[in-house]
Amino acid sequence: MSSKNKTLYSRLNYLLVFPLLCAGLLISSCNEQARGFALPAGNIEEGKATYTSLACNTCHSIPGVEWTGGSDSLKIQLGGEVSAQKSYGYLVTSIINPSHKIARSYKQKNPDHGGLSKMKNYNEVMTVQELIDLVTFLQSEYDVIVPPTHYNPYY
Ligand code: HEC
């Protein structure tokens, strides 16, 4: 093969390889979601039942669920209006490793929390199915309200 032919040949190779590479990247980025953290679908009613059977309502209040805590116990609200979706990654972590990230609202009211959550540990008693249903129930209790923005790039 002459050297002229060789360069032509390698150019042609690039022409073929480049679109293939792009297509590969496109396909892998579409698949990105499938690789993330995902729980199977849970059941809201079962989750609500688990919430009361595990006595979460002795420390947490949710509208529509009876409050069973004492008058001097913690009453931390779950659900309600939030500005961003509480991901199930966040909710799962809050339940099985509560000290990992202490809830911001709680930290503000109790600055001397010492980095340890007062939340009970359920890891020995809760089944994975109960956790899935609980998170599904909790997610359904949040209303995402997007704050209005006044940003307009044309002003
Ligand atoms: C003994 C009291 C107590 C019990 C019982 C309890 N928690 Fe908590 N929980 C807390 C405290 C205190 C916090 C705030 C500090 C923190 O983030 O761990 C909290 C935080 C949370 C958060 C994060 C809230 C936020 O706004 O970020 C979730 C979710 C949660 N609890 C779910 C549950 C569920 C579900 C149950 C029942 C399985 C439960 N908790 C039982 C005390 C409790």
Side-chain angles (χ1 to χ4, degrees), residues 56 59-60 76 78 86 90 98 102-103 106 117-119 122:
C56 310
C59 291
H60 292 287
I76 298 148
L78 296 179
K86 298 250 178 197
Y90 174 79
I102 304 282
Y106 181 79
S117 176
K118 293 213 161 46
M119 187 158 145
Y122 293 92

Side-chain angles (χ1 to χ4, degrees), residues 50-52 54-60 73-74 76-79 82 86 90-95 97-107 110 113 116-122 126 131 134-135 137-138 142:
T50 303
Y51 180 84
T52 45
L54 290 180
C56 310
N57 50 347
T58 55
C59 291
H60 292 287
S73 57
L74 302 157
I76 298 148
Q77 202 204 319
L78 296 179
V82 285
K86 298 250 178 197
Y90 174 79
L91 292 171
V92 167
T93 309
S94 302
I95 297 169
N97 186 11
S99 298
H100 176 67
K101 191 163 185 270
I102 304 282
R104 199 190 302 154
S105 54
Y106 181 79
K107 255 200 295 204
N110 304 274
H113 57 82
L116 279 181
S117 176
K118 293 213 161 46
M119 187 158 145
K120 219 168 123 180
N121 186 320
Y122 293 92
M126 189 190 291
L131 177 68
L134 250 180
V135 170
F137 163 62
L138 290 180
Y142 287 99

Side-chain angles (χ1 to χ4, degrees), residues 27-153:
I27 291 167
S28 68
S29 68
C30 289
N31 229 3
E32 194 65 42
Q33 252 183 335
R35 271 193 274 134
F37 178 75
L39 293 177
N43 180 300
I44 295 180
E45 285 309 312
E46 292 290 329
K48 193 173 179 180
T50 303
Y51 180 84
T52 45
S53 70
L54 290 180
C56 310
N57 50 347
T58 55
C59 291
H60 292 287
S61 68
I62 282 188
V65 179
E66 192 194 350
W67 163 251
T68 52
S71 54
D72 58 342
S73 57
L74 302 157
K75 194 173 185 176
I76 298 148
Q77 202 204 319
L78 296 179
E81 290 184 2
V82 285
S83 57
Q85 174 76 39
K86 298 250 178 197
S87 68
Y88 39 57
Y90 174 79
L91 292 171
V92 167
T93 309
S94 302
I95 297 169
I96 62 180
N97 186 11
S99 298
H100 176 67
K101 191 163 185 270
I102 304 282
R104 199 190 302 154
S105 54
Y106 181 79
K107 255 200 295 204
Q108 279 161 357
K109 277 187 231 149
N110 304 274
D112 57 345
H113 57 82
L116 279 181
S117 176
K118 293 213 161 46
M119 187 158 145
K120 219 168 123 180
N121 186 320
Y122 293 92
N123 296 0
E124 301 281 346
V125 292
M126 189 190 291
T127 67
V128 175
Q129 188 59 51
E130 283 174 330
L131 177 68
I132 292 167
D133 292 336
L134 250 180
V135 170
T136 308
F137 163 62
L138 290 180
Q139 272 201 318
S140 75
E141 290 293 320
Y142 287 99
D143 289 321
V144 181
I145 309 288
V146 180
T149 59
H150 302 289
Y151 173 69
N152 186 333

